[in-house]
């Protein structure tokens, strides 16, 4: 069964550092998303990406965040200057626009 | 603003003891309601999409139903391997899914 692949599975970074979280969506999907889940809280939408541009973003997705599809297969989330409160599980998801999203297994980001 | 409320927050069942999880929602223009299963430290795993009131879908011991205000996930004769957090999410006017906090299900032998 096709799956969404995320790397790394766990990232520890110092406050103020930049991190890049990587995702390989399902190959025939056109819609890509990032969500996050702070420990013990609900899954929250960050951003959606379609046709090489951001189609929607939440209030959480401020200027420290950016997304990119650098080639035909990868989709990345960059956090420019990490804060302690950015510690969370970050999930990438993709969709064909008709059926349910497929989520990756996530990257656990720990900011120290 | 879209709202999703799941109940109960936690549920403990004996193996074989059937029950239902509830997802109440308010959304302007529901395009879909999704159920996901999430195991600890993992991403949400897709279970069902429901598009309109009256729709039902089944998969093994799970059955999802939808009304105009809520959705139920019925679990028939659960097994310990059904233990997980079950997430409900609504898809409204935008691209985003709005998730509930989930129901943590524990099935004991």
């Amino acid at each position: 069964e096709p799956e969404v692949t995320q790397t790394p599975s766990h990232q520890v970074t110092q406050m103020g550092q930049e991190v890049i979280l990587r995702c390989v969506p399902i190959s025939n999907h056109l819609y890509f998303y990032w969500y996050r889940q702070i420990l013990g809280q609900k899954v929250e939408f960050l951003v959606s990406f379609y046709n090489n541009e951001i189609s929607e973003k939440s209030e959480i997705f401020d200027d420290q965040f950016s997304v990119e599809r650098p080639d035909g297969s990868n989709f990345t989330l960059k956090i420019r200057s990490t804060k302690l409160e950015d510690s969370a599980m970050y999930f990438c998801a993709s969709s064909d626009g008709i059926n349910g999203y497929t989520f990756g297994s996530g990257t656990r980001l720990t900011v120290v | 603003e879209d709202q999703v409320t799941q109940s109960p927050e936690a549920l403990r069942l004996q193996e074989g003891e059937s029950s239902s999880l509830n997802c109440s929602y308010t959304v302007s223009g529901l395009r879909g309601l999704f159920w996901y299963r999430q195991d600890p430290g993992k991403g949400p795993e897709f279970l069902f999409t429901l598009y309109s009131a009256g729709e039902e879908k089944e998969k093994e011991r799970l059955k999802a139903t939808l009304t105009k205000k809520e959705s139920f996930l019925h679990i028939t004769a659960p097994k310990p391997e059904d233990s997980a957090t079950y997430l409900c999410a609504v898809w409204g006017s935008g691209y985003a899914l709005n998730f509930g906090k989930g129901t943590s299900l524990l099935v004991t032998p």
Side-chain angles (χ1 to χ4, degrees), chain A residues 35 37 42 56 91 98 101, chain B residues 36 38 43 51 95 97 99:
Chain A
Y35 285 75
Q37 188 174 30
K42 69 175 187 175
E56 185 178 350
F91 296 110
I98 300 171
Y101 293 22
Chain B
Y36 285 87
Q38 187 176 30
Y51 294 103
Y95 289 85
L97 293 187
F99 281 83

Side-chain angles (χ1 to χ4, degrees), chain A residues 5 9 16 43 73 102 104 107-108 110 112:
Chain A
T5 305
S9 57
V43 177
S73 58
T102 301
T107 293
R108 180 174 299 282
T110 303
V112 298

Side-chain angles (χ1 to χ4, degrees), chain A residues 31 33 35 37 42-43 45 48 55-56 89 91 98-101 103-105 108, chain B residues 34 36 38 41-44 46 49 51 87 91 94-101:
Chain A
Y31 299 84
Y33 312 86
Y35 285 75
Q37 188 174 30
K42 69 175 187 175
V43 177
F45 170 75
S48 61
S55 47
E56 185 178 350
M89 282 287 283
F91 296 110
I98 300 171
N99 300 301
Y101 293 22
F103 282 83
S105 291
R108 180 174 299 282
Chain B
F34 299 81
Y36 285 87
Q38 187 176 30
K42 302 289 186 184
F46 174 74
T49 310
Y51 294 103
L87 304 176
W91 181 29
Y95 289 85
L97 293 187
N98 189 352
F99 281 83
K101 292 183 178 179

Side-chain angles (χ1 to χ4, degrees), chain B residues 62-106:
Chain B
L62 300 177
K63 178 180 175 181
T65 62
L66 181 65
T67 72
K68 289 186 177 178
K69 293 183 180 179
E70 57 191 350
S71 176
F72 291 94
L73 184 65
H74 307 277
I75 304 177
T76 301
K79 299 182 178 181
E81 53 262 42
D82 295 322
S83 298
T85 296
Y86 290 86
L87 304 176
C88 170
V90 296
W91 181 29
S93 57
Y95 289 85
L97 293 187
N98 189 352
F99 281 83
K101 292 183 178 179
T103 293
S104 176
L105 174 66
L106 176 65

Side-chain angles (χ1 to χ4, degrees), chain A residues 42, chain B residues 1-6 23-28 69 88 90 98-100:
Chain A
K42 69 175 187 175
Chain B
E1 185 182 318
D2 300 351
Q3 290 211 351
V4 181
T5 303
Q6 291 189 246
C23 172
S24 298
Y25 65 90
T26 55
V27 62
S28 53
K69 293 183 180 179
C88 170
V90 296
N98 189 352
F99 281 83

Side-chain angles (χ1 to χ4, degrees), chain A residues 10-35:
Chain A
H10 192 188
Q11 172 97 42
V12 181
T13 189
Q14 294 223 326
M15 193 168 51
Q17 294 296 304
E18 174 182 286
V19 294
I20 297 177
L21 310 183
R22 302 179 191 280
C23 170
V24 179
I26 293 173
S27 60
N28 64 341
H29 284 183
L30 300 176
Y31 299 84
F32 313 115
Y33 312 86
W34 284 101
Y35 285 75

